[in-house]
């Protein structure tokens, strides 16, 4: 007997199919109408800045220093004032959860994994924000008030005009204040003064609801500490008050080499606990790089040229200790004596002592010199699959043995930094996650990938190497934490934050309840409802 279909069942099935198609079509039409109406509603906002909707501007906002992720926004805001930013965010906030729009603050575009990007949303060009102008206050507690979109290099030049300087830096100064304070801001001064987030007195924040809030440790302290190291999740930093100190004019800059990792770390740890020894302490790893000392001779003077010329690395893994002592011209004799005394306690290879004297500005802006050279060779705008880790002191030898002994085979694709910082200089009320030990090591693999290469300098090889390092850290339970963290799922983020996750979640619900801000980190996803 054949199957028979009643006309009623056929009609019912057809109707269900038709209704389903109509429902999906309505959603698509509604979504597209929403998209097409957004530019006009943004254009209608009354403020001094302006939006760009052209493909060139959108393409620029979809790129960053990492050069691996590209998410095109729908618009780029060039704010003239803080109220331009607040009005834009409030407009999107008032659109509610039916809007797909998210907002990303973009400074100098030095993000690595698309953190300052937003697919189909609004990118705010923070460098357009010039209000307020920099104001340096000189007195018993000196400080500078700056825009969140100001570059640190500009802050350096302006404060030096008043004989003052910020205390804590990043190695590269062509970054915005809001960008580094949203992460931490770490360099060779962090052992003494802490990261940049430990040297901020006040902030002005635009929250995820478009509210402008002034805060400090004493006033609106929860928001203040949330935003510092908060990866942009709780608000956009539009103004910051940075602590200053009297500025030196010169720097004695020293490099020495070690072949023994134990001696290298012992000396570093001794120096960061010695009062007034050096003002800057960093180290880096050198694997299979011959002729390094000859390169140093271009700008550094060997203490013993004859012995230095006989030094052979013989393919060994070497460790460079880089030190700096700040001074003024009239202090040169005293500084030389102090430096010589501190060096006498160290266990470096004697023939590898190199030193030079440079201006304070030239020392702090040293990475920019390399940038200019790389740009001239077309090697700046390449993929940068960087990996930054914070390793507890108790596990650093175990880490080095495996990573520098087996996983990493050379360091010719970019520097590998390794240096200790004192945890006591970090504020545990901020959003930054760091290991639970008194001394931590920052280990930064700052590699550059050669486009189209399939070799050890290619992107895939470097990414595979990074993955092996991370898998080893987890397998060996080193208690390492990513600095400038990057994860793809909320579960991974939950593991990263550990016990701090619930606090992070709570802060998000208060300051950015619709998950409008900083979608590029992929911590939270904006929930869209169709009503």
């Amino acid at each position: 007997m054949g199957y028979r279909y009643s006309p009623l069942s056929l009609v019912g099935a057809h109707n269900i199919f038709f209704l389903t198609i109509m429902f999906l079509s309505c959603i698509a039409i509604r979504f597209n109408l929403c998209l097409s109406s957004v530019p006009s509603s943004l254009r209608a906002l009354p403020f001094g800045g302006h939006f760009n909707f052209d493909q060139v501007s959108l393409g620029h906002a979809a790129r960053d220093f990492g050069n691996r992720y590209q998410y095109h926004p729908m618009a780029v805001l060039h704010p003239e004032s803080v109220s331009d930013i607040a009005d834009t965010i409030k407009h999107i906030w008032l659109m509610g959860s039916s809007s797909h729009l998210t907002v990303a603050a973009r400074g100098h575009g030095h993000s690595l994994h698309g953190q300052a990007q937003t697919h189909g949303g609004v990118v705010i060009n923070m460098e357009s924000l010039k209000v307020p102008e920099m104001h340096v206050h000189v007195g018993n507690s000196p400080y500078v008030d700056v825009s969140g979109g100001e570059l640190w290099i500009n802050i350096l030049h302006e404060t030096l005009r008043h004989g003052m300087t910020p205390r804590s830096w990043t190695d590269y100064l062509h970054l915005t204040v809001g960008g580094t304070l949203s992460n931490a801001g770490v360099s060779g001064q962090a052992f003494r003064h802490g990261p940049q987030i430990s040297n901020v007195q006040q902030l002005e924040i635009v929250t995820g609801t478009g509210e402008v809030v002034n805060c400090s440790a004493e006033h609106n302290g929860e928001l203040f500490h949330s935003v510092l190291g908060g990866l942009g999740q709780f608000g956009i930093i539009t103004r910051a008050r940075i602590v200053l100190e009297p500025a030196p004019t010169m720097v004695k800059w020293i490099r020495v080499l070690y072949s023994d990792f134990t001696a290298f770390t012992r000396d570093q740890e001794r120096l960061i606990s010695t009062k007034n020894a050096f003002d800057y302490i960093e180290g880096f790893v050198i694997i299979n790089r011959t002729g390094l000392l000859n390169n140093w001779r271009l700008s550094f003077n060997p203490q013993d040229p004859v012995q230095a010329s006989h030094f052979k690395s013989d393919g060994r893994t070497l460790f460079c200790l880089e030190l700096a002592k700040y001074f003024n011209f009239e202090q040169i004799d005293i500084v030389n004596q102090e430096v010589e005394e501190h060096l006498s306690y160290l266990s470096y290879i004697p023939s590898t002592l190199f030193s030079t004297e440079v201006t304070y500005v030239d020392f702090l802006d040293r990475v920019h010199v390399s940038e200019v050279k790389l740009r001239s060779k077309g090697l700046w705008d390449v993929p940068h699959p960087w990996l930054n880790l914070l390793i507890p002191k108790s596990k650093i030898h175990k880490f080095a043995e495996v990573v520098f002994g087996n996983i990493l085979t050379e360091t010719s694709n970019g520097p590998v930094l390794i240096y200790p910082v004192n945890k006591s200089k970090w504020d545990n009320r901020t959003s930054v996650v760091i290991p639970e030990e008194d001394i931590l090591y920052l280990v930064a693999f700052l590699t550059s990938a050669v486009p189209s290469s399939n070799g050890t300098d290619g992107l895939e090889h470097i990414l595979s190497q990074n993955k092996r390092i991370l898998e080893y850290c987890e397998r060996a339970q080193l208690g390492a934490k990513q600095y400038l963290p990057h994860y793809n799922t909320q579960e991974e983020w939950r593991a990263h934050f550990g016990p701090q996750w619930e606090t992070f979640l709570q802060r998000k619900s208060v300051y950015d309840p619709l998950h409008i801000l900083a979608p590029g980190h992929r911590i939270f996803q904006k929930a869209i409802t169709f009503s």
Side-chain angles (χ1 to χ4, degrees):
M1 183 184 294
Y3 287 100
R4 295 175 64 91
Y5 294 95
S6 72
L8 187 62
S9 66
L10 278 172
V11 171
H14 177 77
N15 282 345
I16 291 169
F17 177 74
F18 178 75
L19 288 170
T20 302
I21 294 298
M22 284 296 292
F23 176 71
L24 292 174
S25 299
C26 286
I27 289 177
I29 290 167
R30 185 187 179 109
F31 191 70
N32 287 330
L33 282 172
C34 184
L35 274 174
S36 61
S37 67
V38 167
S40 59
S41 73
L42 289 176
R43 283 191 181 99
L45 291 174
F47 52 55
H50 68 278
F51 282 99
N52 277 348
F53 301 96
D54 62 279
Q55 290 305 311
V56 173
S57 298
L58 302 185
H60 177 72
R63 296 193 63 180
D64 59 24
F65 181 70
N67 209 5
R68 292 178 53 214
Y69 297 84
Q70 289 197 30
Y71 298 105
H72 280 69
M74 185 207 62
V76 178
L77 170 64
H78 298 269
E80 189 176 90
S81 65
V82 174
S83 62
D84 290 352
I85 297 173
D87 290 346
T88 301
I89 294 175
K90 181 160 282 188
H91 178 76
I92 294 171
W93 156 255
L94 291 174
M95 292 172 75
S97 55
S98 61
S99 164
H100 72 289
L101 287 180
T102 53
V103 175
R106 185 183 196 272
H108 206 54
H110 210 75
S111 298
L112 298 173
H113 303 100
Q115 288 98 332
Q117 299 174 24
T118 168
H119 178 65
V122 176
V123 167
I124 299 176
N125 176 13
M126 294 301 294
E127 287 190 89
S128 294
L129 184 66
K130 298 301 180 188
V131 179
E133 292 184 359
M134 266 190 277
H135 170 70
V136 178
H137 172 79
V138 179
N140 292 331
S141 302
Y143 62 81
V144 58
D145 280 332
V146 297
S147 157
E150 193 62 77
L151 296 178
W152 284 100
I153 182 65
N154 297 335
I155 296 169
L156 173 64
H157 288 302
E158 179 62 24
T159 55
L160 285 177
R161 290 179 58 241
H162 301 266
M164 307 302 291
T165 176
R167 303 188 301 194
S168 189
W169 299 95
T170 49
D171 287 332
Y172 180 62
L173 301 190
H174 296 252
L175 305 170
T176 58
V177 168
T180 64
L181 296 185
S182 294
N183 288 284
V186 185
S187 184
Q189 304 88 0
F191 76 94
R192 174 171 294 169
H193 298 294
Q196 290 180 319
I197 58 173
S198 294
N199 294 274
V200 182
Q201 290 181 336
Q202 294 179 16
L203 295 171
E204 178 185 70
I205 306 297
V206 180
T207 70
T209 60
E211 185 182 3
V212 181
V213 183
N214 287 297
C215 54
S216 64
E218 297 77 27
H219 179 64
N220 294 318
E222 184 69 19
L223 177 60
F224 179 75
H225 293 115
S226 298
V227 169
L228 293 173
L231 306 176
Q233 294 299 313
F234 312 110
I236 294 175
I237 298 171
T238 51
R239 182 182 63 81
R241 177 167 290 181
I242 311 296
V243 176
L244 300 178
E245 68 178 3
T249 53
M250 297 294 292
V251 175
K252 192 166 186 67
W253 188 5
I254 297 156
R255 285 177 179 170
V256 291
L257 287 179
Y258 293 73
S259 57
D260 179 63
F261 187 72
T262 300
F264 171 68
T265 53
R266 184 179 62 237
D267 283 355
Q268 279 193 315
E269 289 163 20
R270 173 179 184 149
L271 288 172
I272 69 167
S273 61
T274 303
K275 195 172 182 181
N276 299 327
F278 290 94
D279 298 289
Y280 161 99
I281 298 169
E282 286 194 10
F284 54 92
V285 186
I286 304 160
I287 304 174
N288 284 338
R289 286 176 65 187
T290 57
L292 188 75
L293 297 192
N294 287 328
N295 293 336
W296 285 0
R297 282 191 182 89
L298 296 174
S299 49
F300 287 80
N301 302 310
Q303 187 181 47
D304 190 328
V306 176
Q307 280 200 28
S309 65
H310 293 154
F311 178 79
K312 297 288 184 292
S313 62
D314 299 323
R316 289 175 292 173
T317 296
L318 297 171
F319 306 95
C320 173
L321 177 58
E322 188 170 46
L323 307 166
K325 181 77 173 175
Y326 304 158
F327 66 97
N328 293 317
F329 289 111
E330 63 275 12
Q331 300 170 305
I332 182 64
D333 291 334
I334 297 172
V335 165
N336 281 336
Q337 289 175 14
E338 290 177 350
V339 166
E340 192 172 332
E341 182 181 355
H342 289 302
L343 289 176
S344 69
Y345 298 120
L346 306 182
S347 303
Y348 58 88
I349 303 169
S351 61
T352 65
L353 173 57
F354 281 68
S355 67
T356 188
E357 290 167 14
V358 296
T359 67
Y360 182 63
V361 171
D362 285 345
F363 173 73
L364 290 181
D365 202 26
R366 61 198 178 279
V367 177
H368 185 58
V369 176
S370 301
E371 177 190 351
V372 171
K373 290 178 183 175
L374 290 170
R375 283 191 183 279
S376 68
K377 297 176 182 177
L379 296 175
W380 183 256
D381 295 318
V382 299
H384 294 97
W386 288 6
L387 175 64
N388 296 269
L389 299 172
L390 290 166
I391 311 287
K393 169 192 164 182
S394 64
K395 302 294 173 54
I396 194 64
H397 288 268
K398 194 174 179 182
F399 176 88
E401 185 180 353
V402 173
V403 175
F404 304 141
N406 299 320
I407 299 177
L408 205 65
T409 56
E410 58 180 294
T411 55
S412 57
N413 298 328
V416 176
L417 307 182
I418 177 168
Y419 58 90
V421 295
N422 293 310
K423 191 188 176 191
S424 61
K425 303 296 182 180
W426 297 59
D427 191 328
N428 61 11
R429 293 172 294 179
T430 68
S431 293
V432 177
V433 179
I434 60 177
E436 291 293 329
E437 278 193 19
D438 291 341
I439 293 179
L440 321 169
Y441 273 84
L442 177 76
V443 186
F445 302 87
L446 309 182
T447 47
S448 299
V450 176
S452 305
S453 172
N454 294 319
T456 57
D457 55 0
L459 179 61
E460 291 309 313
H461 176 82
I462 297 168
L463 289 175
S464 173
Q465 193 168 261
N466 289 349
K467 186 180 177 185
R468 287 179 64 196
I469 293 169
L470 288 170
E471 286 175 346
Y472 165 68
C473 288
E474 192 161 337
R475 191 171 62 248
Q477 299 182 323
L478 300 186
K481 291 293 181 182
Q482 280 194 42
Y483 174 62
L484 308 177
H486 166 65
Y487 300 101
N488 290 311
T489 68
Q490 196 175 85
E491 282 308 306
E492 290 174 315
W493 280 109
R494 186 189 295 268
H496 169 75
F497 283 103
Q500 292 176 239
W501 173 248
E502 292 303 322
T503 301
F504 199 83
L505 210 59
Q506 174 64 20
R507 287 172 168 178
K508 186 71 170 177
S509 70
V510 172
Y511 302 117
D512 183 24
L514 289 186
H515 302 171
I516 290 171
L517 301 176
H521 281 281
R522 294 182 280 283
I523 306 175
F524 302 99
Q525 188 170 1
K526 188 177 182 183
I528 303 171
T529 59
F530 295 94
S531 54

